[in-house]
Amino acid sequence: MERVHRIDLKLLRYFLAVAEELHFGRAAARLNMSQPPLSIHVKELENQLGTPLFVRHSRSVALTHAGKILMEESRRLLFSANQAFARVEQIGRGEAGRIELGVVGTAMWGKMRPVMRRFLKENPNVEVLFREKMPAMQMALLERRELDAGIWRMAIEPTEGFTSLRLHESAFLVAMPEDHPLACCPAIPLDALRNEYFVTMPSIHTDWAFLQRVCQKAGFTPMIVREVMEPQTVLAMISMGIGITLIADSYAQMNWPGVVFRPLEERIPADLYIVYEPQQATPALTKLIDALIR
């Protein structure tokens, strides 16, 4: 069975100073200590390893073969240890680390994009892994601690033990073909969409579950003629005149040929929230949250 060594890194530092100086007096001065305790520490290391590391002469010392090997290995070990300690200190200050961040696709546009760009530029040692998931899946992953935080719309009632903070206000707009009769209106009453055909994403998508409830409260159920998986496909179909949709205002920042966006007379909120467990928040996550809500 291979022996497990439990040697203090401090002993390796003492040994390395003597090995590089080949003189106990100079090594002691370099370490800002007196020579007798240094000699005792080196002897302790030799006893632990069961082999001499130095050949001692009256005025100098020389490395044994084992000592030469240990000097090479000590340099590597101490360098790796210093790197590891520095990394941990950076993580403790929020200057390094990894953040598993759940997002909905529409969150990646709008006000969040420039803030995230600046955060990543200012914190190059913080790795942010974006995982595009529906809100219900994000919440499940948060509960299993497979995500550090999740970002989705109208997350006003997270699971007990979790906190939600609003990142910024947003609203749903009506997206329609550019030649649609309602395109000339500066704002559209929701009831005016009663007889329109809708192109949507699947009803399991929380945005659409929420929007369907809003429409039903207004007295109608949207007539859905197409369901597709991606919002850009929704907008492509709208440009072809297949129908209209309700979509977050972040998409209006991009150019979609053949599509126009109009606000509703009564605002439907699409505010973006970040959801996380405060007791599990790492310094890097806290730093990111501060940047996003600033």
Side-chain angles (χ1 to χ4, degrees):
M1 183 176 178
E2 188 176 352
R3 181 181 172 190
V4 177
H5 293 281
R6 293 181 175 83
I7 293 173
D8 192 335
L9 287 179
K10 188 159 53 177
L11 293 182
L12 291 181
R13 292 190 177 94
Y14 293 154
F15 159 77
L16 189 58
V18 179
E20 290 177 344
E21 298 291 342
L22 290 178
H23 192 280
F24 276 88
R26 289 195 299 269
R30 170 174 151 184
L31 294 166
N32 197 28
M33 63 189 299
S34 59
Q35 183 174 332
L38 176 59
S39 300
I40 292 171
H41 287 312
V42 170
K43 193 66 181 173
E44 179 186 353
L45 179 61
E46 289 177 318
N47 290 337
Q48 287 188 31
L49 295 174
T51 186
L53 301 172
F54 296 100
V55 177
R56 292 160 173 81
H57 303 292
S58 56
R59 295 186 177 180
S60 64
V61 294
L63 285 162
T64 63
H65 177 66
K68 290 177 183 178
I69 298 299
L70 185 60
M71 181 173 69
E72 296 171 4
E73 295 298 333
S74 294
R75 283 172 174 161
R76 280 195 286 268
L77 281 169
L78 292 173
F79 177 76
S80 295
N82 286 334
Q83 280 193 317
F85 296 149
R87 174 79 171 166
V88 170
E89 288 175 347
Q90 284 184 316
I91 290 172
R93 295 191 299 266
E95 297 169 2
R98 173 183 292 182
I99 301 171
E100 295 265 0
L101 186 64
V103 293
V104 291
T106 55
M108 302 302 286
W109 296 97
K111 296 178 182 179
M112 179 177 162
R113 182 179 57 82
V115 175
M116 187 62 72
R117 176 182 173 86
R118 184 168 61 251
F119 177 84
L120 294 173
K121 187 175 181 179
E122 293 175 354
N123 299 274
N125 293 320
V126 176
E127 182 182 13
V128 181
L129 300 179
F130 298 97
R131 298 177 65 181
E132 189 175 354
K133 300 287 182 184
M134 292 183 298
M137 178 58 73
Q138 287 191 48
M139 196 66 247
L141 293 173
L142 284 167
E143 289 172 351
R144 298 202 298 265
R145 294 181 178 168
E146 294 179 27
L147 285 179
D148 295 302
I151 293 177
W152 66 88
R153 299 187 184 281
M154 302 307 295
I156 54 178
E157 295 181 354
T159 300
E160 185 178 353
F162 289 83
T163 293
S164 67
L165 298 175
R166 188 170 67 178
L167 300 182
H168 60 77
E169 292 184 351
S170 186
F172 285 101
L173 303 179
V174 184
M176 65 187 78
E178 59 186 358
D179 59 354
H180 194 284
L182 293 174
C184 62
C185 301
I188 298 171
L190 184 60
D191 186 66
L193 308 181
R194 176 184 299 273
N195 297 317
E196 296 292 333
Y197 294 125
F198 281 78
V199 180
T200 73
M201 287 173 283
S203 58
I204 58 170
H205 192 289
T206 296
D207 278 1
W208 265 100
F210 168 71
L211 289 169
Q212 282 183 318
R213 290 194 297 271
V214 170
C215 292
Q216 287 164 358
K217 188 177 286 189
F220 71 96
T221 298
M223 293 189 293
I224 299 172
V225 294
R226 296 284 194 283
E227 277 193 357
V228 295
M229 298 303 297
E230 301 292 340
Q232 56 265 32
T233 309
V234 171
L235 292 167
M237 288 190 172
I238 288 169
S239 73
M240 299 174 195
I242 293 174
I244 68 167
T245 199
L246 294 169
I247 199 164
D249 55 13
S250 55
Y251 278 92
Q253 297 186 14
M254 294 171 277
N255 180 35
W256 300 96
V259 179
V260 296
F261 298 87
R262 294 292 181 266
L264 289 154
E265 285 185 356
E266 293 186 18
R267 179 180 179 272
I268 300 177
D271 301 346
L272 210 58
Y273 287 76
I274 186 164
V275 179
Y276 67 102
E277 189 176 4
Q279 292 182 339
Q280 297 296 319
T282 63
L285 176 61
T286 300
K287 197 171 186 179
L288 174 60
I289 292 170
D290 289 342
L292 289 171
I293 65 175
R294 188 180 305 154

